[in-house]
Amino acid sequence: MRTVVFLMFVLLSMTHSVSRPQCHSCERTSCKCSRQNLTKVPAVPSNVITELDLSFNRLGIITSDDFVAYTSLRCLIMSNNRIRVIQEPAFNPLTNLEKLDLSSNRLDSLSAGWFKNLASLQYLNLVGNMYKTLGQGNLFQSLKKLKSLHFGGPHLQSVRKSDFSGLSKLEELFFDGEKLQVYAKGSLRQIEHISHVTLSLNGPFMTNPALVKVILTDVAHPNTTLTFTDTLFYKEDQMSPFHVVSDNGTKSLILKNSTMTLTACLTVLKMLSQSDITVLAMEDTKIQLIILGPVTAPQKVDHLEVLILKNIDIPRYYSYPVLFLLKPILKEVQKLTLIHSKLFAVPCKTSGDLLDLEFLDITGNLITDLVLREMMCNGNGVLFNLQTINISRNHLRSINSQLFTKLDKLKNIDMSGNIIYTMPETCNWPPNLQYLNLSSMHLEKATTCLPTSLRIIDLSYNDLTGFNIELPLLTELYISGNKIKSLPDGGLYPRLSFLSIQNNDLNAFSKNDLKTFKILKNLEAGANTYDCSCDFLAFMTSDLTNHRITFGDEFKSYICDSPDAARGKTVADARLSVFECHTALALSLLGLGILAVFLLFAGLCHRFNVMWYMKMTWAWLKAKRKPKLKKGEFEYDAFVSYSEMDSGWVEAHLIPELEQSEPPLRLCLHKRDFVPGSWILDNIMNAIEKSHKTLFIISKHFVRSEWCKYELDYTHFRLFDQNVDTVVLILLEPIDKETIPKKFCKLRRVMNSRTYLEWPDEDNQINRFWQSLRAAIRRPVDIIRFNVDE
Ligand SMILES: *[C@@H]1O[C@H](CO)[C@@H](O)[C@H](O)[C@H]1NC(C)=O
Ligand SMILES: *[C@@H]1O[C@H](CO)[C@@H](O)[C@H](O)[C@H]1NC(C)=O
Ligand SMILES: *[C@@H]1O[C@H](CO)[C@@H](O)[C@H](O)[C@H]1NC(C)=O
Ligand SMILES: *[C@@H]1O[C@H](CO)[C@@H](O)[C@H](O)[C@H]1NC(C)=O
Ligand SMILES: *[C@@H]1O[C@H](CO)[C@@H](O)[C@H](O)[C@H]1NC(C)=O
Ligand SMILES: *[C@@H]1O[C@H](CO)[C@@H](O)[C@H](O)[C@H]1NC(C)=O
């Protein structure tokens, strides 16, 4: 029975692991398995996975063993699935989990048991599910380290005091109470001083402002930034909860993704007029030009310092003088951000009221040169406290420096992203200008328009082909995204510590180029068309590490464009061959090598008489090609090879004895029978060919004589080919065989193995000598021929 259960268990666990899907988008420690139609938690690829993103899948039920193998997990995202059920122990293995996102699922009840083991959890998102309450109470009791809690949704009806027990460290709270009906007073008060509270309370604002008041009383605190989001503010009486904001001393208030009537807007401003609000922001908000009932114009907001209006949508904005209405609250504002809101006009008179303004950001509006001129009162002096102005991404067509000339405090001007094509030769900037952003325009040339007071200049993403304006105080230079071919001359920028020149047409730079920059610390020069010469590669990979300059951008963005061998490779990966790197050295080494081989070859030739062998082979081949003489066709009986020194003996003894004997033998003597004018070797070869035998008169002279060597040579060579019998050796005097050169090995062997004729010392032996010699030379050929052939 036990074995059956065990087998079933094994089978079950096997089928279980087999049926788990795989996530194919895992990196080393993180799996991004979003939008893969997963219906089950995928199998774990390795046990070091710390991040698992399962959002936008079709998970329905989370089972107890889904995460058993994910013990290292720190971040688990399961938003936008169809999760209805989570088995109680499902998250138990995740003791290291810090972030859990279960938003936008179908959970209709929450259980404290899920979080029992999640003592490390810091972020929890439960927004957008179907639960009506936060479980049975004490839901978050175990989450001692929770810092950020997002809860609520379209079904949440009631919040009780016990729901938040145990939470103490919370820094951020998002509360979606769109349909909230019951809120137990003091519930959120238990969590002390949450620094960011975001409330989405559209329903209560509409139907039960008192409920909102109760909630606000619990969270509104001077040190808490309050955000209201996703809300429609319509009528005046809806706005009464803002009294709490004002009374409890809230300093930062943000209205986000809301729709407001003009009535609601003016009511809020009125309520805040005597509050401690210092930061007021409206983001992604639509203001409807509807006025319901009597409204008073807004008054000054006493402590307002920062006003942020971002993405404000005012339908029919052309007919509405926004700034005129805002005027009273702008009076003491120091920072005004009014971006992406179709701002198209700022009267000179309005700017005249912004006496305290230090920071003005009007990015992404409809400001033209004309509007700017009006705003700056034609450059006659306004906004005297301004330190920073951001006019980026508007519709400016010229630099307009003269409009700012009188602003002594102005240090930073950002005009990036306008449609400016040229820079005048001279400009009139404010005297203390330090930062100028002229990036993302269409400038083709930088001129002396740039003031020498600049510390930071950004000219990235223009059409510059070079940059050589002297700026003695400059510390940061941004010229990425142009068409610059070489590094600027560092001598013009003695204070430069940062240079960004990515994405240009830079081919290379050298140590010397960088040396001109006296105190450069940080260089960003990736994404250029580098010519990866050996010097450059060496400089980039080794020299530079000893250098004081560091690369601010990723080293892998330094990619070679040439030579072909390195194209597309990063500077770190590119390798050039030694030959490419040290051409001159390599060439001379190669030359030396060739010379050495040649010398070695010549030496070997000499040592092993290669030339001799070659010469002989050639002669032998030539001889072979000639038709062989038949035995009867020999012209001579013997060719006599002898040294000149031995000619006395030859003439006195040999010739008379052999040629005048009976029958006479025909001898071939070089003196007599060689054809004058022919090459000596040819003559010798001919003579030997035409002779029945070759007679060597060997003496000490013979061995030493150059002349005889040819004959000896050739004969010796023929010995390989032909019958040894053709050679007759006569030793005129006793001779040491060792004196015969080694290459005549065969001859030496012949001398060793065969008897040779020795010129006798005693006279009575001479007759026998001649007899033997004649016998050795005579050819029996004729007789044989007659006998056989006939
Ligand atoms: C998921 O399913 C949808 C509809 O069935 C299909 O269009 C989509 O391509 C699928 N996505 C993946 C990653 O399989
Ligand atoms: C608000 O925060 C400041 C510093 O951030 C702190 O000094 C002050 O005590 C806090 N006020 C309250 C009432 O907690
Ligand atoms: C903005 O609020 C509306 C409801 O007023 C909501 O439907 C929408 O999803 C919200 N948008 C964002 C980006 O939160
Ligand atoms: C807000 O003010 C009310 C009334 O003065 C006070 O009871 C409450 O404690 C304050 N809320 C916070 C969070 O301090
Ligand atoms: C100006 O606004 C742009 C866009 O928001 C921003 O990137 C830039 O840093 C701002 N410049 C200054 C000087 O604040
Ligand atoms: C210049 O403006 C661009 C675009 O607004 C911005 O991205 C960049 O960071 C700014 N440059 C500097 C040096 O602040």
Side-chain angles (χ1 to χ4, degrees):
M1 185 60 196
R2 256 189 206 167
T3 37
V4 171
V5 170
F6 177 72
L7 273 177
M8 274 178 67
F9 175 76
V10 168
L11 272 174
L12 268 174
S13 50
M14 271 170 66
T15 50
H16 188 82
S17 63
V18 164
S19 68
R20 259 190 205 291
Q22 297 287 329
C23 169
H24 298 291
S25 32
C26 289
E27 278 166 23
R28 221 166 42 80
T29 60
S30 98
C31 285
K32 301 208 162 30
C33 320
S34 200
R35 297 178 203 272
Q36 297 192 356
N37 295 344
L38 298 173
T39 53
K40 264 179 167 301
V41 173
V44 64
S46 82
N47 58 4
V48 294
I49 295 297
T50 57
E51 237 186 289
L52 179 62
D53 182 354
L54 295 170
S55 60
F56 295 95
N57 280 296
R58 296 182 189 167
L59 305 179
I61 298 174
I62 304 299
T63 63
S64 312
D65 48 7
D66 275 353
F67 295 106
V68 170
Y70 282 96
T71 47
S72 314
L73 219 53
R74 288 171 193 276
C75 173
L76 175 59
I77 315 278
M78 294 196 288
S79 57
N80 292 284
N81 277 279
R82 301 169 186 178
I83 301 172
R84 283 167 283 118
V85 178
I86 297 175
Q87 291 178 359
E88 191 105 339
F91 299 141
N92 279 1
L94 307 178
T95 48
N96 295 312
L97 201 66
E98 289 167 11
K99 178 168 179 172
L100 176 60
D101 190 344
L102 287 166
S103 61
S104 300
N105 276 291
R106 298 182 183 170
L107 295 168
D108 55 9
S109 66
L110 304 175
S111 163
W114 298 341
F115 307 129
K116 204 174 67 192
N117 271 7
L118 306 185
S120 306
L121 203 68
Q122 298 181 12
Y123 174 100
L124 175 63
N125 194 337
L126 297 169
V127 164
N129 278 283
M130 294 163 80
Y131 52 84
K132 295 186 172 131
T133 62
L134 293 172
Q136 306 296 311
N138 302 324
L139 185 61
F140 310 115
Q141 189 77 47
S142 325
L143 306 176
K144 298 290 180 221
K145 290 195 177 158
L146 203 64
K147 284 183 182 157
S148 178
L149 173 63
H150 294 231
F151 73 95
H155 299 266
L156 184 67
Q157 288 178 355
S158 68
V159 166
R160 289 151 307 174
K161 245 177 144 166
S162 61
D163 290 340
F164 301 102
S165 63
L167 286 179
S168 57
K169 286 231 169 70
L170 222 51
E171 288 166 9
E172 193 198 5
L173 178 77
F174 180 96
F175 178 8
D176 182 355
E178 199 191 327
K179 296 275 160 62
L180 194 72
Q181 284 161 17
V182 180
Y183 174 84
K185 194 165 181 249
S187 299
L188 287 170
R189 177 85 65 89
Q190 303 167 91
I191 319 164
E192 282 181 24
H193 310 324
I194 313 162
S195 36
H196 288 90
V197 175
T198 302
L199 301 171
S200 170
L201 298 172
N202 189 46
F205 261 114
M206 285 295 231
T207 58
N208 193 355
L211 189 72
V212 180
K213 260 187 194 168
V214 177
I215 296 170
L216 281 178
T217 310
D218 277 356
V219 296
H221 181 275
N223 282 8
T224 297
T225 298
L226 257 187
T227 303
F228 294 96
T229 185
D230 303 5
T231 311
L232 172 63
F233 297 110
Y234 201 68
K235 294 175 296 189
E236 191 178 348
D237 53 2
Q238 240 187 297
M239 310 309 284
S240 58
F242 282 91
H243 275 300
V244 182
V245 174
S246 177
D247 294 348
N248 277 43
T250 299
K251 287 182 182 152
S252 300
L253 177 67
I254 300 170
L255 301 174
K256 211 172 167 181
N257 188 30
S258 299
T259 301
M260 297 182 101
T261 61
L262 195 55
T263 309
C265 189
L266 293 174
T267 308
V268 173
L269 291 178
K270 191 170 110 192
M271 282 176 180
L272 298 181
S273 70
Q274 276 165 31
S275 70
D276 292 338
I277 291 284
T278 56
V279 179
L280 177 62
M282 284 192 199
E283 294 176 18
D284 311 315
T285 290
K286 188 170 180 173
I287 296 184
Q288 296 184 321
L289 301 182
I290 303 172
I291 297 184
L292 304 150
V295 285
T296 44
Q299 295 146 17
K300 180 165 155 270
V301 178
D302 283 341
H303 300 100
L304 193 63
E305 289 169 11
V306 180
L307 178 61
I308 299 170
L309 301 170
K310 190 171 160 186
N311 265 325
I312 305 297
D313 180 14
I314 304 170
R316 290 164 41 218
Y317 66 103
Y318 280 110
S319 63
Y320 180 61
V322 167
L323 281 163
F324 175 71
L325 265 166
L326 288 177
K327 224 164 104 175
I329 65 164
L330 289 178
K331 268 218 162 97
E332 284 168 34
V333 166
Q334 290 153 25
K335 280 186 79 174
L336 173 60
T337 300
L338 209 170
I339 63 178
H340 300 297
S341 300
K342 297 183 188 157
L343 179 71
F344 68 96
V346 183
C348 169
K349 210 160 159 296
T350 307
S351 343
D353 288 342
L354 300 170
L355 295 174
D356 294 338
L357 202 65
E358 291 168 7
F359 175 96
L360 177 61
D361 186 352
I362 44 175
T363 293
N365 285 296
L366 306 171
I367 310 286
T368 61
D369 291 332
L370 208 67
V371 175
L372 187 63
R373 195 177 310 149
E374 171 62 23
M375 184 177 110
M376 298 310 296
C377 305
N378 252 318
N380 293 329
V382 71
L383 301 173
F384 283 112
N385 280 314
L386 208 58
Q387 292 171 11
T388 301
I389 184 165
N390 195 344
I391 337 167
S392 62
R393 290 174 227 180
N394 274 287
H395 295 241
L396 300 180
R397 293 193 161 263
S398 63
I399 283 182
N400 295 299
S401 64
Q402 75 287 352
L403 298 179
F404 307 105
T405 312
K406 292 192 175 165
L407 307 186
D408 288 355
K409 293 188 180 163
L410 192 56
K411 286 184 186 154
N412 313 304
I413 299 183
D414 188 343
M415 284 190 187
S416 57
N418 280 287
I419 320 145
I420 301 177
Y421 285 87
T422 54
M423 196 185 278
E425 284 299 326
T426 53
C427 299
N428 294 305
W429 293 104
N432 297 311
L433 193 67
Q434 296 181 357
Y435 169 99
L436 185 57
N437 196 336
L438 299 176
S439 68
S440 304
M441 312 227 263
H442 307 275
L443 297 170
E444 286 173 2
K445 197 174 162 241
T447 70
T448 44
C449 165
L450 302 176
T452 49
S453 58
L454 284 181
R455 308 287 200 281
I456 301 170
I457 173 84
D458 191 341
L459 283 162
S460 331
Y461 301 98
N462 278 287
D463 296 325
L464 303 180
T465 51
F467 187 72
N468 55 0
I469 308 300
E470 187 171 359
L471 297 168
L473 302 179
L474 205 67
T475 58
E476 295 178 25
L477 175 58
Y478 298 81
I479 41 175
S480 291
N482 282 288
K483 299 168 185 166
I484 296 172
K485 289 199 165 63
S486 61
L487 224 52
D489 173 8
L492 300 171
Y493 318 103
R495 300 244 187 126
L496 203 68
S497 69
F498 176 88
L499 173 59
S500 159
I501 185 166
Q502 294 160 303
N503 224 325
N504 274 286
D505 295 340
L506 217 59
N507 281 331
F509 48 84
S510 68
K511 203 179 214 157
N512 287 342
D513 291 337
L514 289 182
K515 260 191 195 152
T516 63
F517 294 93
K518 291 282 174 279
I519 57 167
L520 191 66
K521 285 198 195 73
N522 207 323
L523 178 66
E524 295 180 353
N528 275 296
T529 51
Y530 283 118
D531 176 11
C532 289
S533 66
C534 303
D535 287 348
F536 181 67
L537 287 181
F539 173 59
M540 291 295 282
T541 49
S542 58
D543 294 12
L544 216 64
T545 44
N546 312 326
H547 217 266
R548 62 193 146 78
I549 295 172
T550 55
F551 283 99
D553 48 354
E554 280 187 291
F555 207 59
K556 66 172 186 237
S557 66
Y558 291 73
I559 292 171
C560 302
D561 188 54
S562 60
D564 286 345
R567 177 166 302 146
K569 290 189 183 145
T570 67
V571 165
D573 293 341
R575 296 272 179 281
L576 291 182
S577 66
V578 180
F579 190 74
E580 283 163 300
C581 282
H582 307 283
T583 315
L585 183 64
L587 279 180
S588 32
L589 279 180
L590 190 70
L592 281 178
I594 290 173
L595 191 67
V597 167
F598 180 78
L599 287 177
L600 186 70
F601 186 68
L604 285 174
C605 280
H606 184 74
R607 175 75 180 77
F608 295 107
N609 301 294
V610 171
M611 286 315 289
W612 175 81
Y613 280 110
M614 278 166 66
K615 209 157 82 189
M616 283 307 126
T617 309
W618 181 77
W620 174 72
L621 282 173
K622 222 167 94 182
K624 278 223 110 163
R625 273 178 48 222
K626 276 198 226 157
K628 265 257 160 59
L629 290 175
K630 284 195 186 134
K631 287 197 171 164
E633 289 165 343
F634 290 122
E635 201 172 313
Y636 304 103
D637 290 298
F639 166 63
V640 189
S641 173
Y642 61 97
S643 156
E644 202 51 39
M645 306 291 264
D646 299 325
S647 58
W649 182 83
V650 170
E651 280 158 27
H653 299 278
L654 188 74
I655 299 175
E657 189 61 38
L658 294 184
E659 290 205 331
Q660 285 150 31
S661 65
E662 196 50 48
L665 292 172
R666 283 213 61 197
L667 296 180
C668 177
L669 301 167
H670 66 262
K671 271 190 181 166
R672 188 180 67 196
D673 300 313
F674 275 14
V675 183
S678 282
W679 188 38
I680 179 72
L681 200 61
D682 279 344
N683 262 322
I684 293 169
M685 273 160 51
N686 260 330
I688 292 174
E689 287 290 321
K690 285 183 191 156
S691 304
H692 178 221
K693 296 268 164 139
T694 303
L695 209 58
F696 286 100
I697 314 298
I698 296 177
S699 65
K700 285 187 182 118
H701 305 303
F702 181 89
V703 175
R704 261 182 259 128
S705 136
E706 266 306 304
W707 167 255
C708 301
K709 236 166 111 187
Y710 286 126
E711 300 159 24
L712 195 59
D713 283 356
Y714 182 64
T715 318
H716 172 258
F717 216 79
R718 255 177 47 149
L719 285 177
F720 288 103
D721 185 32
Q722 288 187 355
N723 200 330
V724 177
D725 287 346
T726 56
V727 175
V728 179
L729 303 177
I730 297 171
L731 240 64
L732 274 192
E733 52 192 345
I735 194 163
D736 183 5
K737 272 176 239 131
E738 293 309 309
T739 54
I740 298 175
K742 280 216 177 74
K743 64 184 170 191
F744 302 121
C745 51
K746 194 109 179 192
L747 192 68
R748 281 163 64 146
R749 217 176 319 135
V750 171
M751 281 181 75
N752 278 341
S753 63
R754 282 164 55 99
T755 48
Y756 34 80
L757 297 168
E758 256 173 299
W759 182 242
D761 291 336
E762 291 129 59
D763 285 355
N764 55 0
Q765 306 263 328
I766 290 180
N767 256 342
R768 264 194 61 201
F769 170 81
W770 291 123
Q771 273 173 14
S772 312
L773 182 58
R774 237 182 254 115
I777 296 174
R778 174 165 301 125
R779 18 181 180 168
V781 190
D782 298 341
I783 310 151
I784 293 167
R785 201 177 62 183
F786 284 128
N787 288 351
V788 175
D789 290 359
E790 296 299 300

